[in-house]
Each structure stands twice: as C-alpha cells, then as structure tokens.
Amino acid sequence: MTKKQDKISEVPLKKAAPKEKKPAKKEAAPKEKKPAKKEAAPKEKKPAKKEAAPKEKKPAKKEAAPKPKKLTKKELEEIKKEAEKTLEEELEEQLTDEEIENFQIEKVDMERLTNKICDVLAERESSGMFQSELWKKLKLTSRDGSRLALKLERMGTIYREKILDKGRWTYKLILKKTPISTMSIENAPCLVCPVEQKCSLEGEISPRNCQFIEDWVLSEMKKPTKAK
C-alpha cells in the first residue's frame, strides 16, 4: 500500500446525518356530517283556476231613431194653437150652444149673480178684469166661472179678450151691456104721481113739461157722484 492510500484510509469517514423523521401526518379530522337534507315541504296546491265568468253579452245596438219628420207650416200652427188653448175653448168644443146658454149653478140665483158680475165689471169700465180675479172675488170655481163667462158672452152682456198673462193664456172680461137697474128710477115722481092717468106725450100734462120731473132731475144732478 502506498503512502497516499494510507492517508486516505486514516481519514475517518463522516457518518451520514440521520434523516429527520417527517412528522406523522395528522389524522384527517373526521368530516362533519352534512345535515340531512330537509324534506321538501309539500308544495301548496295552487287554487284551481276560477272559471272564467261568462262574458256579458253586448247590448244589441240600438236601432237608429227615425229622424223626426219635418212638420208643415199648417201643422206647426195647429200645435201652437193647441198649446194656447184655454179651458173655455175646450168647453166650447165639448158643450153645445144650448148647454152653455142654459148653464145653471146649483142653489144659486143666476140672475142675481149675473147682476153682481155686471156691477163689478162696470166699476172697471173699459179696462175690464181678469176672469180668475173675478171668480176668486165671487168664490166660484174656474170651471163654473168659465161656463158662466161663455153664457154671458152668448147673451151679449160681456165680451172676452184673450191675453197672455205670466206665460199662460187667459181672458179679460169687459162689460158690453150694462144691465137695467131700478136704482135710477127709485125716487122718480112718476111712480107716485097724483095725475098719472092724465099724463101723455101730447096731453096737457106731459113728461115734456112736468115740473115734478124737472125738480127730480135737478136734485139727482146735485147729488155727489159715487166714488168708483
């Protein structure tokens, strides 16, 4: 053996370092058990679909109203005349002349009533009076008053003037003929004349030259006139 080899053999051999032991693998933690899946709640049953309400039937289309017929001038005049008709005019159509002329109100003195109407109208002279006002004054119904007005007109005692008053057609009654009144001869000397049998137009004693009549006329003229 050579010296070189001896030196090599004398060098102590290094011991190989022991390998570090790898730490033991940690035991894997037991996996947490996943909670059991909740049982799916039973699905709520959807309410049954409501039955569709029956559709309302659309109303049938109205038939177009026929266009009003154009009235003639004569027809329009007749309609206007009908609208302006008064109770008296209706009665005239319903009653005969005889029924109007013989009209009587039960338990009423017609002659006295007629004279009273004439007296009231005489106070109004030519201005006349609304018949409704007159019937109210005499406490007569409009129907009785209207018949009486027609009767007096037939007799020639009054005449009626048709007037539009407050949107309504009515009549004004105007005295046409003043009835005879005994008041004008109440104090006449002829009623108590002592020589009445001898009095005549051509005789010695006559109304033309009677002193009694002259005195009576003068006394009547001096009396104050009655206020209307």
Side-chain angles (χ1 to χ4, degrees):
M1 189 176 289
T2 64
K3 290 179 181 181
K4 205 174 186 175
Q5 287 176 336
D6 291 337
K7 284 180 183 181
I8 290 169
S9 58
E10 288 175 4
V11 178
L13 293 172
K14 288 182 181 181
K15 289 181 181 180
K19 289 182 181 179
E20 291 182 3
K21 286 183 180 179
K22 290 182 180 179
K25 284 184 182 179
K26 288 182 181 179
E27 289 183 5
K31 289 183 180 179
E32 290 181 3
K33 288 183 179 179
K34 290 183 180 179
K37 286 183 181 179
K38 289 181 180 178
E39 290 182 4
K43 290 182 180 179
E44 291 181 3
K45 289 183 180 179
K46 290 183 180 179
K49 287 183 180 179
K50 289 181 181 178
E51 291 183 4
K55 291 182 180 179
E56 291 182 3
K57 290 182 180 179
K58 291 183 179 179
K61 287 183 179 179
K62 289 182 180 178
E63 292 181 4
K67 290 183 180 179
K69 184 182 175 183
K70 285 187 179 180
L71 300 172
T72 62
K73 189 176 180 181
K74 188 178 179 180
E75 287 173 330
L76 288 170
E77 284 176 0
E78 286 177 0
I79 291 170
K80 186 179 178 183
K81 192 176 179 181
E82 192 68 27
E84 293 174 357
K85 191 178 285 186
T86 61
L87 176 59
E88 288 79 5
E89 288 168 331
E90 290 177 4
L91 288 172
E92 282 181 297
E93 290 177 359
Q94 297 167 12
L95 305 172
T96 63
D97 287 343
E98 189 178 351
E99 286 174 319
I100 292 171
E101 289 165 10
N102 295 331
F103 172 66
Q104 297 282 329
I105 299 174
E106 193 177 351
K107 297 179 182 179
V108 172
D109 185 339
M110 296 302 289
E111 187 178 350
R112 188 176 178 184
L113 177 60
T114 299
N115 288 334
K116 194 170 183 180
I117 289 170
C118 291
D119 289 341
V120 173
L121 294 179
E123 292 177 4
R124 298 294 183 97
E125 297 181 343
S126 60
S127 63
M129 187 177 193
F130 282 113
Q131 62 176 12
S132 56
E133 185 183 349
L134 180 59
W135 307 148
K136 189 176 180 181
K137 189 179 182 76
L138 299 175
K139 296 179 181 179
L140 293 174
T141 65
S142 59
R143 193 169 185 82
D144 283 344
S146 296
R147 292 190 184 206
L148 185 54
L150 290 171
K151 179 178 180 175
L152 294 177
E153 187 178 47
R154 296 283 197 286
M155 291 167 58
T157 305
I158 65 169
Y159 70 89
R160 300 176 300 137
E161 183 182 346
K162 193 173 181 180
I163 291 176
L164 184 64
D165 179 52
K166 296 177 183 177
R168 293 181 65 184
W169 287 98
T170 186
Y171 286 97
K172 237 183 185 182
L173 306 182
I174 300 166
L175 190 64
K176 189 176 181 181
K177 184 175 73 177
T178 306
I180 296 171
S181 173
T182 57
M183 288 181 68
S184 61
I185 57 169
E186 272 179 2
N187 299 319
C190 301
L191 299 176
V192 290
C193 181
V195 290
E196 181 187 358
Q197 292 177 350
K198 297 179 181 179
C199 182
S200 66
L201 290 174
E202 304 300 330
E204 186 181 345
I205 299 171
S206 170
R208 293 174 180 175
N209 56 17
C210 179
Q211 189 62 45
F212 293 123
I213 291 176
E214 187 178 340
D215 292 342
W216 171 65
V217 170
L218 290 172
S219 65
E220 287 293 316
M221 289 177 68
K222 287 177 182 177
K223 285 182 181 180
T225 55
K226 188 179 177 180
K228 289 183 180 179

